[in-house]
Amino acid sequence: MTEVLSWAAIGTRLERELGEAVYAARRLTPPKLSRATWAVRTRGMGELIVKVRHGDRADEKTRWCADRLPLLGVRGYPVPEFVWHGALGGDWYVAVQQRLRGHPVTSLTGPLLDAVLDLVERQAGAGIPAGDRDFAGYIANVLFDDWDEVWDDAPRACPAAGPLCERIRGWLRPVWGLRLPPTDFTHSDLHLSNVLTDGERITGVIDWDEFGLGTRALDLVVLAFDCDRVGEQRAADRVLAQAAAVAGTGGRRCLVSYRMLAHLADDRREGLPADASAATVALFSAILDRLGG
Protein backbone atom coordinates (compact mmCIF):
# COMPACT_ATOMS: atom_id res chain seq x y z
CA MET A 1 0.00 0.00 0.00
CA THR A 2 2.75 2.48 0.96
CA GLU A 3 4.44 1.84 -2.39
CA VAL A 4 1.31 3.01 -4.19
CA LEU A 5 0.03 5.83 -2.00
CA SER A 6 2.12 7.36 0.80
CA TRP A 7 0.74 9.01 3.91
CA ALA A 8 2.69 12.15 2.99
CA ALA A 9 0.60 12.55 -0.16
CA ILE A 10 -2.63 11.89 1.74
CA GLY A 11 -1.74 14.27 4.57
CA THR A 12 -0.81 17.08 2.19
CA ARG A 13 -4.15 16.77 0.39
CA LEU A 14 -6.10 16.69 3.67
CA GLU A 15 -4.39 19.79 5.02
CA ARG A 16 -5.33 21.63 1.83
CA GLU A 17 -8.97 20.47 1.99
CA LEU A 18 -9.46 20.92 5.74
CA GLY A 19 -7.57 24.16 5.97
CA GLU A 20 -5.46 23.18 8.97
CA ALA A 21 -2.53 21.00 9.97
CA VAL A 22 -3.02 17.25 10.24
CA TYR A 23 -0.56 15.50 12.53
CA ALA A 24 0.11 12.41 14.71
CA ALA A 25 -1.07 10.03 11.98
CA ARG A 26 -1.35 6.49 13.30
CA ARG A 27 -2.35 3.46 11.24
CA LEU A 28 -5.30 1.58 12.72
CA THR A 29 -5.51 -1.35 10.31
CA PRO A 30 -2.89 -3.69 8.82
CA PRO A 31 -1.67 -2.67 5.35
CA LYS A 32 -3.75 -4.07 2.49
CA LEU A 33 -3.53 -3.54 -1.23
CA SER A 34 -6.90 -1.81 -1.49
CA ARG A 35 -7.52 0.02 1.78
CA ALA A 36 -6.09 1.45 4.99
CA THR A 37 -7.29 3.45 7.97
CA TRP A 38 -5.48 6.05 10.09
CA ALA A 39 -6.27 8.08 13.19
CA VAL A 40 -5.03 11.68 13.03
CA ARG A 41 -5.23 14.85 15.09
CA THR A 42 -6.11 18.41 14.20
CA ARG A 43 -6.34 21.52 16.37
CA GLY A 44 -9.73 22.72 15.20
CA MET A 45 -11.62 19.47 14.60
CA GLY A 46 -9.94 17.21 17.13
CA GLU A 47 -9.39 13.53 16.37
CA LEU A 48 -10.35 12.26 12.93
CA ILE A 49 -10.47 8.92 11.16
CA VAL A 50 -9.05 8.77 7.64
CA LYS A 51 -10.17 5.85 5.48
CA VAL A 52 -8.52 5.33 2.09
CA ARG A 53 -9.85 2.81 -0.43
CA HIS A 54 -8.92 1.75 -3.95
CA GLY A 55 -11.29 0.51 -6.62
CA ASP A 56 -14.41 -1.53 -5.79
CA ARG A 57 -16.58 1.55 -6.56
CA ALA A 58 -15.17 3.24 -3.45
CA ASP A 59 -16.19 6.68 -4.73
CA GLU A 60 -19.84 5.69 -5.28
CA LYS A 61 -20.08 3.80 -2.00
CA THR A 62 -18.55 6.62 0.01
CA ARG A 63 -20.78 9.28 -1.51
CA TRP A 64 -23.87 7.14 -0.91
CA CYS A 65 -22.82 6.56 2.69
CA ALA A 66 -22.05 10.23 3.37
CA ASP A 67 -25.46 11.26 1.99
CA ARG A 68 -27.58 8.57 3.70
CA LEU A 69 -25.85 7.85 7.01
CA PRO A 70 -27.32 11.01 8.60
CA LEU A 71 -30.76 9.45 8.06
CA LEU A 72 -29.78 6.89 10.70
CA GLY A 73 -28.28 9.59 12.88
CA VAL A 74 -31.60 11.40 13.22
CA ARG A 75 -33.07 8.15 14.57
CA GLY A 76 -30.67 8.34 17.50
CA TYR A 77 -28.18 5.92 15.96
CA PRO A 78 -24.60 6.84 16.99
CA VAL A 79 -22.94 7.07 13.57
CA PRO A 80 -19.75 8.93 12.58
CA GLU A 81 -20.00 12.35 10.97
CA PHE A 82 -18.28 12.89 7.62
CA VAL A 83 -15.90 15.86 7.55
CA TRP A 84 -14.74 15.55 3.94
CA HIS A 85 -14.39 12.95 1.19
CA GLY A 86 -12.92 13.04 -2.27
CA ALA A 87 -10.77 11.43 -4.94
CA LEU A 88 -7.00 11.16 -4.55
CA GLY A 89 -6.19 10.05 -8.08
CA GLY A 90 -5.35 6.65 -9.46
CA ASP A 91 -8.74 5.24 -8.43
CA TRP A 92 -8.04 6.02 -4.75
CA TYR A 93 -10.76 7.62 -2.64
CA VAL A 94 -10.54 9.05 0.87
CA ALA A 95 -13.15 9.70 3.55
CA VAL A 96 -12.52 11.73 6.69
CA GLN A 97 -14.82 11.28 9.70
CA GLN A 98 -15.02 12.52 13.26
CA ARG A 99 -13.66 9.88 15.64
CA LEU A 100 -16.32 8.40 17.92
CA ARG A 101 -15.46 7.78 21.56
CA GLY A 102 -15.37 4.36 23.18
CA HIS A 103 -13.64 1.01 22.80
CA PRO A 104 -14.78 -2.05 20.83
CA VAL A 105 -17.28 -4.37 22.48
CA THR A 106 -15.74 -7.71 23.41
CA SER A 107 -18.73 -9.31 25.12
CA LEU A 108 -22.39 -8.88 24.21
CA THR A 109 -24.62 -9.87 27.11
CA GLY A 110 -27.12 -8.21 29.43
CA PRO A 111 -27.84 -4.51 28.87
CA LEU A 112 -25.31 -4.16 26.04
CA LEU A 113 -27.00 -6.92 24.08
CA ASP A 114 -30.39 -5.25 24.61
CA ALA A 115 -28.91 -1.92 23.48
CA VAL A 116 -27.42 -3.38 20.29
CA LEU A 117 -30.66 -5.16 19.39
CA ASP A 118 -32.48 -1.86 19.90
CA LEU A 119 -30.06 -0.13 17.54
CA VAL A 120 -30.55 -2.75 14.85
CA GLU A 121 -34.31 -2.26 15.10
CA ARG A 122 -33.76 1.43 14.32
CA GLN A 123 -32.45 0.30 10.92
CA ALA A 124 -35.92 -0.96 9.97
CA GLY A 125 -37.89 0.70 7.21
CA ALA A 126 -35.36 2.93 5.47
CA GLY A 127 -38.07 4.47 3.29
CA ILE A 128 -35.72 5.19 0.39
CA PRO A 129 -35.05 3.31 -2.87
CA ALA A 130 -32.07 0.98 -2.81
CA GLY A 131 -30.92 1.49 -6.39
CA ASP A 132 -27.34 0.25 -6.78
CA ARG A 133 -27.04 -0.29 -3.00
CA ASP A 134 -29.44 -3.26 -2.92
CA PHE A 135 -27.32 -5.55 -0.77
CA ALA A 136 -30.15 -8.07 -0.36
CA GLY A 137 -30.19 -8.52 -4.13
CA TYR A 138 -26.41 -8.90 -4.16
CA ILE A 139 -26.65 -11.72 -1.58
CA ALA A 140 -29.16 -13.56 -3.74
CA ASN A 141 -26.92 -13.14 -6.79
CA VAL A 142 -23.95 -14.56 -4.89
CA LEU A 143 -25.89 -17.53 -3.56
CA PHE A 144 -27.91 -18.45 -6.64
CA ASP A 145 -26.17 -16.90 -9.65
CA ASP A 146 -22.49 -17.51 -8.76
CA TRP A 147 -21.53 -13.84 -8.54
CA ASP A 148 -17.97 -12.88 -7.52
CA GLU A 149 -16.76 -16.52 -7.54
CA VAL A 150 -17.61 -16.93 -3.85
CA TRP A 151 -18.71 -20.52 -4.40
CA ASP A 152 -15.36 -21.19 -6.10
CA ASP A 153 -13.12 -19.58 -3.48
CA ALA A 154 -14.85 -20.61 -0.24
CA PRO A 155 -14.24 -24.39 -0.59
CA ARG A 156 -10.50 -23.73 -1.06
CA ALA A 157 -10.00 -21.95 2.26
CA CYS A 158 -8.90 -25.23 3.88
CA PRO A 159 -9.53 -28.97 3.42
CA ALA A 160 -12.57 -28.91 5.72
CA ALA A 161 -14.17 -26.01 3.85
CA GLY A 162 -15.21 -28.07 0.82
CA PRO A 163 -17.52 -30.46 2.72
CA LEU A 164 -19.00 -27.53 4.66
CA CYS A 165 -19.80 -25.68 1.42
CA GLU A 166 -21.53 -28.76 0.03
CA ARG A 167 -23.51 -28.98 3.26
CA ILE A 168 -24.53 -25.33 2.86
CA ARG A 169 -25.56 -25.92 -0.77
CA GLY A 170 -27.82 -28.76 0.31
CA TRP A 171 -29.27 -26.69 3.17
CA LEU A 172 -30.16 -23.96 0.69
CA ARG A 173 -32.15 -26.18 -1.69
CA PRO A 174 -35.57 -25.59 -0.04
CA VAL A 175 -35.12 -21.80 -0.35
CA TRP A 176 -33.14 -21.71 -3.60
CA GLY A 177 -33.83 -18.46 -5.45
CA LEU A 178 -35.26 -16.57 -2.46
CA ARG A 179 -34.65 -12.81 -2.71
CA LEU A 180 -35.22 -10.70 0.38
CA PRO A 181 -36.54 -7.14 -0.05
CA PRO A 182 -34.11 -4.21 0.40
CA THR A 183 -36.27 -2.36 2.90
CA ASP A 184 -33.89 -1.73 5.84
CA PHE A 185 -30.63 0.07 6.38
CA THR A 186 -27.82 -2.49 6.61
CA HIS A 187 -24.34 -2.02 8.01
CA SER A 188 -23.35 -5.29 6.28
CA ASP A 189 -20.31 -5.88 8.52
CA LEU A 190 -21.62 -5.41 12.07
CA HIS A 191 -18.91 -7.23 13.99
CA LEU A 192 -18.45 -6.68 17.72
CA SER A 193 -15.26 -4.74 16.94
CA ASN A 194 -17.35 -2.17 15.05
CA VAL A 195 -19.56 -1.47 18.07
CA LEU A 196 -18.08 0.98 20.60
CA THR A 197 -18.90 1.28 24.28
CA ASP A 198 -17.83 3.30 27.30
CA GLY A 199 -18.44 0.26 29.48
CA GLU A 200 -22.05 1.08 30.22
CA ARG A 201 -23.68 2.15 26.95
CA ILE A 202 -23.14 2.01 23.21
CA THR A 203 -21.26 5.13 22.13
CA GLY A 204 -20.89 4.47 18.43
CA VAL A 205 -21.00 2.12 15.47
CA ILE A 206 -18.18 2.46 12.95
CA ASP A 207 -16.91 1.11 9.59
CA TRP A 208 -19.91 1.75 7.36
CA ASP A 209 -17.90 1.08 4.18
CA GLU A 210 -20.53 -1.33 2.80
CA PHE A 211 -23.58 0.60 4.03
CA GLY A 212 -26.61 -0.18 1.92
CA LEU A 213 -30.22 -1.35 1.81
CA GLY A 214 -31.30 -4.89 2.56
CA THR A 215 -32.60 -6.65 5.63
CA ARG A 216 -31.37 -5.78 9.10
CA ALA A 217 -31.40 -9.52 9.80
CA LEU A 218 -28.03 -9.69 8.01
CA ASP A 219 -26.47 -7.56 10.74
CA LEU A 220 -28.03 -9.80 13.37
CA VAL A 221 -26.44 -12.86 11.74
CA VAL A 222 -23.01 -11.20 11.76
CA LEU A 223 -23.39 -10.31 15.44
CA ALA A 224 -24.53 -13.84 16.26
CA PHE A 225 -21.45 -15.36 14.62
CA ASP A 226 -19.23 -13.10 16.72
CA CYS A 227 -21.09 -14.02 19.91
CA ASP A 228 -20.47 -17.68 19.10
CA ARG A 229 -16.82 -16.93 18.38
CA VAL A 230 -16.28 -15.44 21.86
CA GLY A 231 -18.14 -18.31 23.56
CA GLU A 232 -21.48 -16.61 24.21
CA GLN A 233 -23.80 -19.21 22.68
CA ARG A 234 -26.91 -18.10 24.57
CA ALA A 235 -26.50 -14.57 23.24
CA ALA A 236 -25.86 -15.96 19.74
CA ASP A 237 -29.02 -18.05 19.83
CA ARG A 238 -31.07 -15.06 20.96
CA VAL A 239 -29.71 -12.91 18.13
CA LEU A 240 -30.28 -15.68 15.56
CA ALA A 241 -33.85 -16.04 16.80
CA GLN A 242 -34.35 -12.32 16.26
CA ALA A 243 -32.94 -12.67 12.74
CA ALA A 244 -35.58 -15.31 11.99
CA ALA A 245 -38.29 -13.04 13.43
CA VAL A 246 -37.18 -10.30 11.01
CA ALA A 247 -36.49 -12.28 7.82
CA GLY A 248 -38.28 -15.60 8.40
CA THR A 249 -36.50 -18.89 8.86
CA GLY A 250 -35.94 -19.18 5.11
CA GLY A 251 -34.48 -15.71 4.93
CA ARG A 252 -32.24 -16.42 7.88
CA ARG A 253 -31.06 -19.59 6.14
CA CYS A 254 -29.96 -17.53 3.13
CA LEU A 255 -28.20 -14.92 5.28
CA VAL A 256 -26.37 -17.49 7.41
CA SER A 257 -25.24 -19.31 4.28
CA TYR A 258 -24.04 -16.13 2.60
CA ARG A 259 -22.00 -14.98 5.60
CA MET A 260 -20.35 -18.38 5.99
CA LEU A 261 -19.42 -18.58 2.32
CA ALA A 262 -18.26 -14.97 2.13
CA HIS A 263 -16.10 -15.38 5.23
CA LEU A 264 -14.36 -18.47 3.87
CA ALA A 265 -13.91 -16.87 0.44
CA ASP A 266 -12.24 -13.86 2.11
CA ASP A 267 -9.97 -16.22 4.07
CA ARG A 268 -8.85 -17.76 0.80
CA ARG A 269 -8.31 -14.41 -0.93
CA GLU A 270 -6.37 -12.94 2.00
CA GLY A 271 -4.18 -16.02 2.22
CA LEU A 272 -5.10 -16.93 5.81
CA PRO A 273 -3.46 -20.08 7.17
CA ALA A 274 -5.49 -23.25 6.72
CA ASP A 275 -5.63 -23.90 10.46
CA ALA A 276 -7.32 -20.53 11.05
CA SER A 277 -9.93 -21.33 8.40
CA ALA A 278 -10.37 -24.80 9.88
CA ALA A 279 -11.31 -23.23 13.22
CA THR A 280 -13.87 -21.08 11.40
CA VAL A 281 -15.29 -24.15 9.67
CA ALA A 282 -15.69 -25.85 13.05
CA LEU A 283 -17.53 -22.82 14.41
CA PHE A 284 -19.82 -22.61 11.39
CA SER A 285 -20.53 -26.35 11.51
CA ALA A 286 -21.62 -26.05 15.14
CA ILE A 287 -23.97 -23.20 14.23
CA LEU A 288 -25.49 -25.25 11.40
CA ASP A 289 -25.98 -28.14 13.83
CA ARG A 290 -28.04 -25.90 16.11
CA LEU A 291 -30.06 -24.52 13.20
CA GLY A 292 -30.85 -27.96 11.82
CA GLY A 293 -28.57 -27.57 8.82
Side-chain angles (χ1 to χ4, degrees), residues 21-42:
V22 175
Y23 58 96
R26 176 169 57 91
R27 190 187 288 275
L28 296 181
T29 59
K32 291 187 177 181
L33 292 176
S34 60
R35 63 182 62 205
T37 303
W38 287 269
V40 302
R41 292 182 179 274
T42 65

Side-chain angles (χ1 to χ4, degrees), residues 258-273:
Y258 165 75
R259 284 302 303 190
M260 290 181 175
L261 292 167
H263 189 120
L264 292 172
D266 284 345
D267 282 1
R268 167 70 179 180
R269 293 163 184 171
E270 294 294 336
L272 261 65

Side-chain angles (χ1 to χ4, degrees), residues 122-221:
R122 298 186 197 190
Q123 299 172 205
I128 59 175
D132 291 340
R133 299 306 298 149
D134 179 358
F135 204 76
Y138 172 77
I139 289 172
N141 289 331
V142 166
L143 290 178
F144 310 124
D145 296 324
D146 292 330
W147 274 31
D148 288 350
E149 300 180 339
V150 172
W151 280 106
D152 292 331
D153 289 335
R156 296 188 289 167
C158 68
L164 175 65
C165 291
E166 286 306 307
R167 182 182 181 187
I168 291 171
R169 190 183 293 275
W171 193 46
L172 280 171
R173 285 196 186 102
V175 294
W176 197 265
L178 177 64
R179 299 178 73 91
L180 296 168
T183 53
D184 303 334
F185 291 114
T186 57
H187 182 287
S188 306
D189 198 29
L190 195 58
H191 291 286
L192 293 180
S193 59
N194 287 332
V195 181
L196 306 181
T197 179
D198 61 7
E200 296 182 357
R201 61 188 181 89
I202 303 300
T203 58
V205 177
I206 59 174
D207 286 349
W208 294 85
D209 294 353
E210 297 301 326
F211 184 42
L213 274 289
T215 170
R216 63 194 186 279
L218 172 64
D219 293 331
L220 294 170
V221 167

Side-chain angles (χ1 to χ4, degrees), residues 53-66 85-87 91-94:
R53 304 170 67 190
H54 180 270
D56 193 28
R57 298 167 55 210
D59 53 345
E60 298 173 31
K61 291 178 180 180
T62 303
R63 286 194 292 266
W64 197 95
C65 183
H85 60 89
D91 210 19
W92 288 96
Y93 205 83
V94 62

